[in-house]
Each structure stands twice: as structure tokens, then as C-alpha cells.
Amino acid sequence: MASEDGDWLELATPTGGTIRVLKAAHPRARRLRLTVTPKGARLTYPNGTHVAQMTAFLRHHAGWLEQKLGEFHLDAVPLPSLRVGVPTTFPFRGEDVVLDWAEGTYPRVDHEPGSLVLSIPRPHTRALLVARGLLATHFEAQIRRDVSRWLPAYIPQINAAPTALRIRPLKSLWGSLDTRDRINLDLALALAPPAALRYVLVHELCHLKVRNHSPRFWHWVESVFPDHKEQRAWLRANGSALKRQLDRLIADVAD
């Protein structure tokens, strides 16, 4: 059962709990869309959608919603905020690295063994925003380097190629393939072990052949990347932590 409370809907879950879902109209929305992030659940809907349709939609997805919220461990200890000049540790390519700070003549990131060094020029006007932008650019460049090395081997196996590669923070997905055969990858995959990124890439490449998750699709994935089950399990176990880390590192840089 679901009830309305201003901008929120409350949903009774199959296990007896209650979930609050933020509802938000979007002028370009064509359908109901439910997303889960480390900040909670959100229902986006087209203008004019009746509350009864929203509640029915939530009831239909109640089990999935409760599972996804559990994966994000919303009661976890908050991560330390990114602060200029204060070193912090985070995962990068599956290994913990120390983010350190330095002064330089121009903004840049230097990747050294076990650390990333952010150089920020004086004066430190808007230094935090500059730092977040540097990190986002560095993460994207790393993913593109990895993908550019792997694609030449995978394209002949699949006998298909994407038309473009887009990398950005994704709220609940790791990747997607759109109707124009463009692959979207989550920027948080830069923090994961390369094998996890490779699995997501192969997953989306295989959707070029099969647009669903039927046994035929998983046969394609298995034939191209036999270790896919291990990497899929790793992302399920650790993915929410990666997304939380990315959010604190590059918040306000990109949606």
C-alpha cells in the first residue's frame, strides 16, 4: 500500500517496512521512472500523471525497490567531505589511493604509485570546484584509455560496434545501450577494478546483438567474457560504495 505526503509517496514493503519515495514531475518524461541512489528513491513522472498510477507502479516494483535500497546501505557511516588541502583515501582502479594536494602553475592531476596529486594554482578561488572537475576528467580519460585497448579485440568477436561512447555519472545503472547504438558507462567504474569495467563494456556490447536479457544474451556474454559472473557479483557487493565515493569526489560537477 502507498500513501501520499506532499512531494513524497510512502510505500509499505513486502517485508513490513515503509519506504519514502521522492516524486518529481519532469516536462520531458514520457513514462514513470524509478531510480535508487545513495540518497534514496526517486519517482520521475510525466506531467498530468495521477497519483493512483504512481502508487500502482510503486507497488509493482516494491520488492525490487527494497532490494536496491538495501544494496546502497543508506545507514552507512557518511564518507568524509572532500576538502582542499586535506588528503583523503579512495579507490581507483580497484586499489586504495591517497588523494594529495599541491600548488602548481596550472590545474592538473598527477597519477603516482599509490596516489593522485591535485595541483591547484594560487589564489585558491573556487578551488574545490576545480578539483572536482579535474578528478572527473581524469576518471573519464582512464575509462576511455581502457576501452580503447579492449574494443579492437571485442568488436570482431561480436561482429558489431557502438556508434559512440559516453561516460558520465549514472544514478543506478553501470551502463546502457541506447537506440542509436551509443554505449553509456558510469563514471564510477573508474574506481572499480579494470575487470569490472571490462564486464560492463562487454555486457553493453552484447546488447548490440541481443537487446534483452534472455538466455541468448547471456550466452553471448559468456562466450566473450567467461568471468562475467564473478565481476557481476563484485559490482553487486561493492557498487553502492563506489557510487557514494564518486558522489563525494565530483558532486556538483555533472549529473
Side-chain angles (χ1 to χ4, degrees):
M1 181 176 182
S3 60
E4 185 178 10
D5 178 21
D7 292 331
W8 297 84
L9 290 171
E10 290 190 349
L11 173 69
T13 67
T15 59
T18 300
I19 295 173
R20 283 171 59 84
V21 180
L22 179 66
K23 59 185 179 73
H26 195 287
R28 293 194 298 274
R30 297 183 179 180
R31 58 184 176 84
L32 293 168
R33 184 166 181 261
L34 185 60
T35 57
V36 178
T37 74
K39 297 179 181 179
R42 179 187 181 97
L43 177 66
T44 305
Y45 59 92
N47 287 322
T49 305
H50 195 278
V51 172
Q53 293 176 265
M54 301 183 208
T55 56
F57 182 81
L58 289 180
R59 285 196 295 268
H60 180 72
H61 293 87
W64 176 88
L65 181 58
E66 189 172 33
Q67 175 189 341
K68 294 300 293 182
L69 286 169
E71 291 176 4
F72 276 109
H73 306 295
L74 296 181
D75 57 348
V77 176
L79 294 170
S81 299
L82 187 65
R83 297 174 58 192
V84 176
V86 178
T88 188
T89 301
F90 69 93
F92 180 63
R93 292 175 61 76
E95 301 288 340
D96 283 347
V97 299
V98 176
L99 175 64
D100 213 342
W101 304 79
E103 293 181 12
T105 55
Y106 59 90
R108 72 176 190 274
V109 179
D110 292 315
H111 187 186
E112 301 175 358
S115 69
L116 289 179
V117 180
L118 286 177
S119 295
I120 308 291
R122 281 187 177 275
H124 295 314
T125 306
R126 303 177 68 212
L128 186 58
L129 183 60
V130 171
R132 293 187 190 281
L134 285 172
L135 288 172
T137 300
H138 187 73
F139 295 160
E140 178 179 352
Q142 182 60 62
I143 291 176
R144 289 190 180 278
R145 281 194 293 269
D146 286 337
V147 170
S148 68
R149 290 199 304 269
W150 300 332
L151 272 181
Y154 289 137
I155 288 176
Q157 293 182 61
I158 297 171
N159 195 28
T163 57
L165 175 66
R166 299 191 298 184
I167 302 166
R168 57 193 176 90
L170 301 177
K171 291 182 178 180
S172 56
L173 300 175
W174 292 111
S176 66
L177 180 72
D178 68 18
T179 56
R180 298 181 181 180
D181 289 347
R182 296 176 298 191
I183 286 180
N184 298 281
L185 295 178
D186 185 13
L187 190 62
L189 288 166
L191 311 184
L197 168 60
R198 189 190 289 251
Y199 156 66
V200 177
L201 174 65
V202 169
H203 184 114
E204 302 310 329
L205 286 171
C206 288
H207 276 313
L208 291 167
K209 305 298 290 188
V210 184
R211 296 278 177 164
N212 53 48
H213 291 98
S214 63
R216 180 167 169 257
F217 167 79
W218 289 112
H219 174 75
W220 268 104
V221 176
E222 176 76 23
S223 65
V224 177
F225 193 66
D227 293 335
H228 70 96
K229 291 182 180 178
E230 178 182 350
Q231 299 309 318
R232 189 182 182 199
W234 190 93
L235 285 171
R236 283 182 172 175
N238 301 280
S240 63
L242 292 189
K243 287 180 179 287
R244 290 174 66 226
Q245 286 280 6
L246 183 73
D247 186 59
R248 72 138 176 156
L249 292 170
I250 69 159
D252 304 323
V253 171
D255 295 328

